[in-house]
Amino acid sequence: VKNFNNKNFADAARSFEAALKDSSQNSFVQYYYAIALLENGDIEKSRVQLTELYIGESTFKYDAAFYAALSYLKEKNTDACKEWLNKIPVDAGIYNKAQELLKKL
């Protein structure tokens, strides 16, 4: 977590990946691993983690959808970005942030 907080995403991704080997269903680790991968430029691998979180029953479900949207935005794929942002319901904590991004697109 320290590497993540210090924006050292390459080392953070390695640490989270190692942690997932011991606890592959830990949604906290999976979520931050996905973000670290995304920030480190490993978009496809990040999307795999984010999609798993979204499909599952994780408390990070809609945050994962938001970051999946950002992953498409990094590739300038606004249609896919909007598609993911529209998966976030009004009662999700990240909803307002998603709506702000939708308006900018």
Side-chain angles (χ1 to χ4, degrees), residues 62-63 88-97:
Y62 299 115
D63 295 277
I88 302 170
V90 69
D91 61 342
I94 196 92
Y95 177 80
N96 290 335
K97 201 170 181 180

Side-chain angles (χ1 to χ4, degrees), residues 61-77:
K61 178 179 185 106
Y62 299 115
D63 295 277
F66 182 78
Y67 278 95
L70 292 182
S71 77
Y72 285 103
L73 188 60
K74 281 184 175 262
E75 296 177 331
K76 298 183 183 4
N77 184 342

